[in-house]
């Protein structure tokens, strides 16, 4: 069994490059290792785990049982037997404090990613054939300088964006069954031909939309039928292009030749690692392009609405996509589909163009080299090397945005009881102020689509996203705006106006009103923190604590209430937060705005069509902001780059099912959001304990002493035992994070606080014998500096004496001269 956290190198790796054994054997070993670790993880959940490389007895691990104590409220050290404590838990490795802390600060986890190739065995687009071992080398080369630290997008002032948490990706390249590519190709072709049978020319000119569930059903079935180990799976699809016959009335375009047919007796290009060699032979290209003049290629993209039940069917169709992510830990990218074009309309970052996703059509294939061998055909294609490098880079971006995304903020509080409270503030004259009871029920309260969708996605008591042992409660209240004077005051103080010049036949000046979200947040927070004003009671918020986010023990609080303040206005004019947003996330609350303005355009486009938003429905934006506030989930298009030291924007996965960004119309939870939410909670609990240990260990640095110098022999032994238990729990946290078992990882991360408290008490007891005093420094040894000081002081005195005597003699001579005169 591989103990990854003991590896000194935390970088992107693969199975191996020097190992020349068959690929199947390497895959079998890798799968066996994952299987053993998976069984080890399950046994650990039952309290029957064994210690791997932690130098601890297996019987001692019986005390660490996350099944009976998921929140780690019990100090497991007190449950250890005396024999276990006096055994290997008492062994000291002899390292000093600096070396001990260096080990803690090198915490890291490994994420396993399976890259599954569909249509890369000579049965896909351009009949491309790629060997798994050759493809695997590109991950080591292209992703060698990949980000290795966890990043925070919105770091607190004076804090670093880089967390002391290392991350590492382990890639495995495998090929899917040939029947999957055949099924996907047939499904796509059948849909396009059937859907556009009456107007195939329009499909050739403008492309066709394929329902995303046609392909997702096949991919999901393959994923569920496989080994559901603790890995993420990225399917790279390379189906054949769709080639159809033009209608008789259409003018054939000889340049639109297809490659989706099956020409007879054509050579299949087989990619092997190596440079271009041999003579030029374009027979393969001739076979591919020998389609008749009345055949054309139909481009296509996927329509995500077929899979999204939360979307309003009357809204405008969203952008087409070439990739998708499921609720389980799989995603797929169709490299034949597209091209798609979406991003900022006038200016901005994150544009997705036809070159953002590698497609074989975009690479030069005419200058291919060909070499024929007796035992087979070997083609060396420079374009294939470039294509595979671009595909690996795409996989790296996917890992940054979906598998291991940056944190929106840090730390992320973890509480036993999390209350999500919707405060529906409206100026509807028919609405009246109503408060739900503590359980969130009230008779006759009108339904709100926004709130119903959020509760449906999070599940009963937040089962879809909550950690083990955590409870999520829903509550709501309706507040008539005219009856809440403090709400009106905060709202009026945050109103702003913006003047712009628009062209409507002629240049005109237009004034837009918007709400300053920071000012509104400041006003509401100030009023809520003043308990004597009673704003929390007026809004019906149960459990509000003033300045709750200022608590240093935020990761270990018992309860937390997140108010979602929705200003639902009956105004017909468009009103947004900060001119562009329907909802904004803050550490203490979520602010959202709805109005009756209807559809409004934003400065984003999709295939040259302007993107619109429904001003009367802020469901998706509010859900996204809630994920940011409660769980620190960053937007799908945001990633903080440690090399550039700034946030990067990339809308690559923004059309997939995600509540973030202007292009998606979905309010669904996917594995990327759920894993990120749980991982962020584990990181926060772990970082809080490590940071506290760092402060404790540096307690005596100002006195010029080390921890070992001030601890008494009895206290030192207790310190060593607690330190060994601390190291054991940190290693277990790393192991279970790698296995994507966030509940068990959270158990060990939270259990650290007991050992940290015990170490702190030991340090405080040792500190009673350490005092500071002011005294004179006595140096009996000869000092050159002291000698020089004495020499210069004596010389200065002699010079002063000489000057004084000289002046006295001069005055006496002057007096004698006057007498003689």
């Amino acid at each position: 069994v591989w103990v990854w956290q003991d590896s000194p190198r935390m970088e992107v790796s693969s199975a191996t490059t020097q190992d020349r054994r068959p690929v199947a054997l390497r895959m079998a070993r890798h799968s066996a290792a994952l299987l053993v670790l998976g069984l080890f993880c399950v046994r650990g959940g039952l309290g029957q785990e064994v210690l791997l490389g932690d130098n601890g007895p297996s019987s001692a691990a019986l005390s660490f049982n996350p099944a009976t104590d998921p929140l780690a409220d019990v100090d497991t050290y007190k449950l250890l037997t005396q024999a276990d404590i006096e055994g290997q838990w008492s062994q000291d490795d002899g390292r000093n404090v600096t070396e001990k802390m260096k080990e803690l600060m090198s915490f890291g986890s490994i994420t396993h990613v399976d890259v599954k190739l569909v249509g890369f065995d000579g049965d896909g687009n351009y009949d491309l054939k790629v060997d798994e071992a050759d493809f695997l080398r590109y991950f080591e080369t292209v992703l060698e300088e990949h980000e290795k630290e966890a990043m925070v997008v919105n770091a607190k002032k004076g804090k670093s964006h880089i967390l002391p948490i290392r991350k590492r990706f382990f890639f495995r390249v495998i090929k899917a069954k040939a029947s999957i590519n055949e099924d996907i190709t047939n499904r796509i072709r059948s849909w396009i031909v059937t859907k556009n049978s009456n107007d195939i020319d329009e499909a050739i000119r403008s492309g066709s939309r394929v329902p995303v569930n046609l392909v997702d059903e096949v991919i999901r079935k393959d994923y569920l039928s496989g080994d559901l180990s603790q890995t993420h799976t990225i399917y790279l699809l390379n189906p054949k292009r769709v080639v159809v016959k033009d209608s008789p009335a259409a003018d054939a375009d000889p340049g639109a030749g297809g490659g989706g047919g099956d020409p007879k007796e054509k050579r299949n290009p087989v990619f092997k690692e190596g440079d271009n060699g041999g003579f030029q032979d374009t027979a393969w290209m001739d076979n591919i392009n020998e389609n008749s003049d009345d055949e054309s290629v139909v481009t296509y993209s996927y329509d995500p609405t077929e899979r999204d039940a939360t979307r309003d069917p009357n809204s405008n169709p969203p952008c087409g996509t070439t990739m998708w992510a499921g609720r389980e830990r799989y995603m797929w990218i169709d490299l034949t589909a597209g091209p798609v074009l979406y991003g900022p309309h006038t200016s901005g970052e994150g544009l997705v163009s036809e070159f953002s996703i590698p497609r074989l059509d975009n690479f030069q294939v005419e200058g291919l080299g060909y070499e024929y061998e007796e035992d087979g055909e070997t083609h060396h294609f420079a374009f294939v090397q470039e294509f595979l490098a671009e595909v690996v880079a795409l996989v790296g971006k996917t890992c940054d945005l979906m598998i291991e995304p940056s944190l929106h903020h840090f730390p992320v509080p973890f509480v036993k009881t999390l209350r999500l409270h919707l405060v529906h503030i409206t100026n509807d004259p028919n609405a009246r102020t109503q408060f739900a009871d503590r359980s969130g029920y009230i008779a006759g309260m009108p339904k709100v689509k926004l709130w119903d969708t959020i509760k449906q996605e999070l599940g009963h008591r937040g089962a879809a996203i909550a950690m083990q042992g955590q409870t999520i409660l829903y509550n709501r209240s309706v507040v008539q705006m005219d009856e809440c004077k403090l709400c009106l005051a905060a709202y009026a103080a945050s109103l702003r106006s913006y003047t712009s010049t628009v062209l409507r036949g002629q240049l005109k000046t237009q004034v837009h009103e918007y709400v300053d979200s920071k000012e509104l947040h400041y006003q509401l927070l100030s009023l809520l923190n003043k308990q004597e004003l009673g704003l929390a009671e007026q809004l019906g918020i149960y459990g509000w604590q003033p300045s709750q986010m200022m608590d240093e023990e935020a990761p270990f609080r018992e309860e937390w209430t997140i108010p979602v303040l929705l200003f639902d206005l009956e105004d017909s004019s468009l009103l947004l937060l900060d001119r562009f947003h329907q909802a904004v996330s803050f550490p203490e609350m979520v602010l959202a705005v709805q109005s009756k303005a209807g559809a409004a355009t934003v400065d984003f486009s999709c295939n040259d069509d302007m993107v619109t938003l429904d001003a009367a429905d802020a469901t998706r934006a509010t859900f996204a902001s809630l994920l940011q506030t409660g769980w620190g989930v960053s937007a799908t298009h945001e990633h903080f780059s440690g090399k550039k030291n700034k946030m990067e924007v990339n809308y690559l996965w923004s059309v997939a099912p995600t509540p973030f960004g202007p292009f998606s119309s979905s309010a669904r939870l996917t594995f990327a959001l759920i894993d990120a939410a749980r991982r962020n909670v584990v990181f926060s609990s772990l970082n809080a304990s490590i940071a506290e240990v760092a402060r404790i260990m540096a307690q005596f640095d100002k006195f010029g002493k080390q921890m070992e110098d001030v601890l008494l022999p009895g206290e030192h032994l207790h310190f060593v035992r607690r330190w060994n238990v601390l190291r054991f729990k940190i290693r277990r946290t790393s192991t279970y994070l790698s296995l994507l078992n966030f509940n068990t990882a959270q158990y060990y991360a939270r259990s650290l606080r007991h050992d940290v408290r015990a170490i702190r008490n030991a340090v405080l007891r040792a500190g009673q014998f350490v005092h500071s005093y002011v005294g004179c420094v006595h140096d009996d040894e000869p000092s050159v500096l002291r000698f020089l000081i004495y020499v210069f002081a004596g010389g200065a005195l002699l010079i002063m004496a000489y000057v004084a005597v000289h002046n006295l003699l001069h005055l006496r001579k002057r007096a004698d001269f006057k007498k003689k005169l």
Side-chain angles (χ1 to χ4, degrees):
V1 178
W2 302 338
V3 186
W4 300 310
Q5 64 270 23
D6 293 337
S7 176
R9 296 183 62 192
M10 306 297 292
E11 62 182 10
V12 176
S13 66
S14 57
T16 180
T17 55
Q18 287 77 20
D19 191 359
R20 297 299 180 181
R21 284 170 289 185
V23 177
L25 177 60
R26 280 182 276 159
M27 293 180 180
R29 292 188 57 192
H30 179 75
S31 301
L34 286 178
L35 178 61
V36 174
L37 281 176
L39 294 176
F40 160 71
C41 175
V42 175
R43 291 175 62 86
L46 300 177
Q48 301 174 355
E49 63 185 1
V50 296
L51 304 183
L52 300 179
D54 292 331
N55 298 326
S58 59
S59 59
L62 296 174
S63 302
F64 304 96
N65 194 343
T68 58
D69 184 25
L71 297 179
D73 293 328
V74 179
D75 187 0
T76 53
Y77 180 84
K78 298 180 181 179
L79 303 179
L80 296 174
T81 63
Q82 191 64 25
D84 291 333
I85 294 177
E86 295 177 356
Q88 296 189 11
W89 294 115
S90 300
Q91 294 182 359
D92 189 5
D93 53 11
R95 293 182 294 180
N96 56 29
V97 173
T98 303
E99 294 173 343
K100 292 178 183 295
M101 284 307 306
K102 186 177 180 181
E103 179 187 12
L104 291 188
M105 300 304 290
S106 62
F107 173 84
S109 62
I110 297 178
T111 302
H112 288 259
V113 181
D114 284 347
V115 180
K116 212 161 188 179
L117 305 180
V118 180
F120 285 83
D121 202 16
D123 54 349
N125 193 20
Y126 287 105
D127 302 289
L128 181 65
K129 188 173 183 179
V130 178
D131 184 70
E132 300 100 306
D134 294 329
F135 194 20
L136 195 59
R137 296 189 181 96
Y138 283 83
F139 287 93
E140 302 170 349
T141 304
V142 177
L143 300 182
E144 183 178 0
E145 300 298 330
H146 200 69
E147 299 282 359
K148 301 178 180 63
E149 292 86 10
M151 300 291 179
V152 181
V153 176
N154 299 301
K156 294 183 178 180
K157 187 176 181 180
K159 300 293 184 179
S160 174
H161 289 270
I162 303 177
L163 296 179
I165 299 174
R166 310 278 288 178
K167 62 180 183 180
R168 178 186 178 190
F169 291 104
F170 191 99
F171 293 97
R172 182 177 64 155
V173 178
I174 55 180
K175 284 188 177 180
K177 295 179 292 186
S179 59
I180 297 178
N181 180 69
E182 182 180 356
D183 191 7
I184 292 175
T185 302
N186 293 335
R187 283 170 172 250
I188 295 174
R189 178 179 177 81
S190 299
W191 173 269
I192 293 177
V193 173
T194 305
K195 186 71 174 179
N196 303 278
S197 58
N198 297 329
D199 193 3
I200 193 65
D201 298 327
E202 179 63 24
I204 295 174
R205 289 191 300 268
S206 305
S208 180
R209 286 286 186 93
V210 178
V212 72
N213 61 335
L214 285 181
V215 175
D216 190 62
E217 289 175 356
V218 179
I219 299 299
R220 186 173 185 271
K221 181 180 179 181
D222 177 76
Y223 175 80
L224 296 178
S225 64
D227 179 18
L228 297 180
S229 57
Q230 291 75 19
T231 62
H232 297 85
T233 304
I234 301 177
Y235 287 83
L236 298 178
L237 311 182
N238 185 41
K240 289 182 176 294
R241 297 184 298 175
V242 178
V243 180
V244 296
K245 292 183 178 296
D246 297 338
S247 60
D251 294 330
D253 183 8
D262 293 318
K264 297 181 179 180
E265 299 181 358
K266 65 175 182 291
R267 300 184 176 96
N268 295 332
V270 181
F271 172 71
K272 293 292 183 181
E273 187 70 19
D275 55 353
N276 289 339
F279 58 89
Q280 299 294 326
D281 185 358
T282 59
W284 178 71
M285 283 298 303
D286 294 338
N287 285 328
I288 284 183
N289 292 327
E290 67 179 4
N291 299 77
S292 58
D293 293 340
D294 59 346
E295 290 183 348
S296 299
V297 177
V298 179
T299 61
Y300 65 93
S301 61
Y302 294 96
D303 185 2
T305 59
E306 295 293 330
R307 194 73 178 176
D308 186 11
T310 64
R311 178 181 176 270
D312 185 2
N314 297 323
S315 60
N316 294 331
C319 293
T321 182
T322 61
M323 54 190 66
W324 194 254
R327 196 175 184 106
E328 296 84 5
R329 294 187 178 99
Y330 75 91
M331 62 194 79
W332 51 267
I333 305 173
D334 191 341
L335 302 177
T336 304
V340 292
L341 176 65
Y342 55 90
H345 181 64
T346 57
S347 63
E349 300 179 358
L351 176 67
V352 177
S353 66
E354 60 176 326
F355 301 105
S356 300
I357 301 175
R359 302 171 65 248
L360 282 172
D361 295 337
N362 295 334
F363 293 86
Q364 298 294 331
V365 298
E366 289 80 4
L368 56 87
Y370 167 77
E371 179 180 346
Y372 182 82
E373 297 178 358
E374 293 182 359
D375 56 349
E377 297 177 351
T378 302
H379 297 263
H380 303 290
F381 301 123
F383 82 93
V384 175
Q385 299 177 3
E386 184 180 354
F387 171 72
L388 294 182
E390 293 286 344
V391 170
V392 172
L394 176 63
V395 173
K397 295 177 183 177
T398 300
C399 293
D400 289 336
L401 297 175
M402 300 290 287
I403 297 180
E404 284 275 359
S406 304
L407 286 80
H408 177 263
H409 63 269
F410 193 83
V412 178
F414 175 80
V415 293
K416 296 181 180 179
T417 303
L418 177 62
R419 289 186 176 86
L420 307 179
H421 192 117
L422 172 67
V423 182
H424 187 195
I425 305 174
T426 178
N427 58 357
D428 185 0
N430 299 324
R432 58 186 179 89
T433 301
Q434 303 179 77
F435 300 148
D437 57 12
R438 187 170 180 177
S439 61
Y441 172 78
I442 187 173
M445 181 173 286
K447 290 187 176 182
V448 179
K449 175 188 174 183
L450 178 150
W451 197 238
D452 294 340
T453 302
I454 292 177
K455 292 194 299 182
Q456 179 182 354
E457 286 300 313
L458 295 181
H460 179 65
R461 291 183 175 268
I465 199 173
M467 304 290 287
Q468 185 177 0
Q470 184 185 34
T471 302
I472 298 179
L473 303 178
Y474 308 104
N475 209 324
R476 58 171 295 200
S477 57
V478 178
V479 177
Q480 173 56 247
M481 200 169 186
D482 295 336
E483 299 176 4
C484 182
K485 304 303 180 184
L486 296 178
C487 301
L488 283 173
Y491 175 76
S494 60
L495 278 178
R496 299 289 186 270
S497 61
Y498 178 79
T499 304
S500 62
T501 302
V502 296
L503 180 61
R504 293 179 179 175
Q506 59 181 353
L507 292 177
K508 293 183 179 181
T509 301
Q510 186 173 352
V511 179
H512 306 269
E513 276 194 336
Y514 68 95
V515 178
D516 188 345
S517 63
K518 293 183 179 179
E519 181 65 25
L520 182 60
H521 166 257
Y522 171 77
Q523 295 291 339
L524 291 173
L525 187 61
S526 301
L527 297 173
L528 286 171
N529 285 338
K530 296 178 180 179
Q531 295 183 347
E532 62 273 11
L533 297 178
L535 180 59
E537 289 76 11
Q538 295 182 35
L539 300 179
I541 301 177
Y542 177 82
W544 173 264
Q545 299 177 5
S547 303
Q548 51 184 323
M549 292 302 296
M550 302 303 293
D551 186 6
E552 293 184 358
E553 298 294 330
F556 308 110
R557 285 204 307 268
E558 295 291 329
E559 295 183 354
W560 184 28
T561 299
I562 302 179
V564 180
L565 301 173
L566 172 63
F567 288 83
D568 193 358
L569 308 177
E570 295 295 317
D571 303 340
S572 59
S573 59
L574 179 64
L575 188 68
L576 298 175
L577 294 171
D578 302 327
R579 297 178 52 219
F580 302 108
H581 308 290
Q582 289 182 288
V584 177
S585 166
F586 289 96
E588 306 87 1
M589 64 183 69
V590 174
L591 300 178
V593 173
Q594 288 183 172
S595 63
K596 303 300 181 181
T601 59
V602 293
D603 192 23
F604 292 92
S605 63
C606 177
N607 294 330
D608 296 330
D609 295 330
M610 296 297 296
V611 177
T612 61
L613 61 84
D614 186 3
D617 184 12
T619 301
R620 185 184 53 80
T622 304
F623 188 29
S625 299
L626 182 60
L627 292 175
Q628 291 179 333
T629 298
W631 293 273
V633 179
S634 62
T636 312
H637 56 273
E638 293 179 354
H639 170 72
F640 190 87
S641 174
K643 298 178 180 179
K644 299 180 181 179
N645 196 28
K646 70 173 185 178
M647 185 187 70
E648 294 181 339
V649 178
N650 191 338
Y651 291 102
L652 186 66
W653 280 92
S654 294
V655 183
T658 174
F660 295 96
F663 304 103
S664 175
S665 59
S666 172
R668 294 200 307 117
L669 279 177
T670 61
F671 79 91
L673 303 177
I674 298 174
D675 287 355
R678 294 176 175 176
R679 185 187 300 108
N680 296 346
V681 172
V682 177
F683 281 174
S684 299
S685 301
L686 178 67
N687 184 77
S689 298
I690 294 179
E692 180 64 19
V693 171
R695 288 192 292 267
I696 294 173
M697 303 295 274
Q699 189 74 21
F700 302 105
D701 289 349
K702 55 186 176 182
F703 301 106
K705 298 289 185 179
Q706 294 291 336
M707 186 73 66
E708 296 83 355
D709 300 334
V710 298
L711 289 175
L712 298 177
E715 293 290 345
H716 184 268
L717 179 60
H718 180 67
F719 170 80
V720 170
R721 291 170 176 173
R722 280 289 189 175
W723 184 265
N724 288 334
V725 175
L726 182 78
R727 290 177 54 219
F728 167 81
K729 293 179 180 178
I730 290 179
R731 291 188 176 185
R732 278 295 173 270
T733 304
S734 174
T735 300
Y736 285 108
L737 275 177
S738 301
L739 295 173
L740 303 178
N741 190 337
F742 299 108
N743 290 323
T744 307
Q746 175 70 354
Y747 164 78
Y748 283 106
R750 284 179 59 86
S751 182
L752 290 172
R753 69 187 190 276
H754 302 295
D755 305 291
V756 173
R757 188 181 299 114
I759 293 175
R760 181 175 60 214
N761 295 335
V763 172
L764 292 177
R765 287 191 296 268
Q768 297 176 358
F769 304 98
V770 179
H771 302 283
S772 60
Y773 63 90
V774 179
C776 298
V777 178
H778 300 282
D779 192 357
D780 298 333
E781 298 181 359
S783 174
V784 177
L785 179 62
R786 182 187 300 176
F787 174 76
L788 293 177
I789 292 176
Y790 289 159
V791 169
F792 282 111
L797 291 176
L798 291 177
I799 293 174
M800 293 173 60
Y802 171 78
V803 172
V805 172
H806 178 74
N807 289 339
L808 290 175
L809 292 177
H810 180 68
L811 293 175
R812 186 172 183 179
K813 288 181 180 180
R814 289 185 62 184
D816 293 343
F817 177 74
K818 289 181 179 180
K819 289 181 180 180
K820 292 180 180 181
L821 185 62

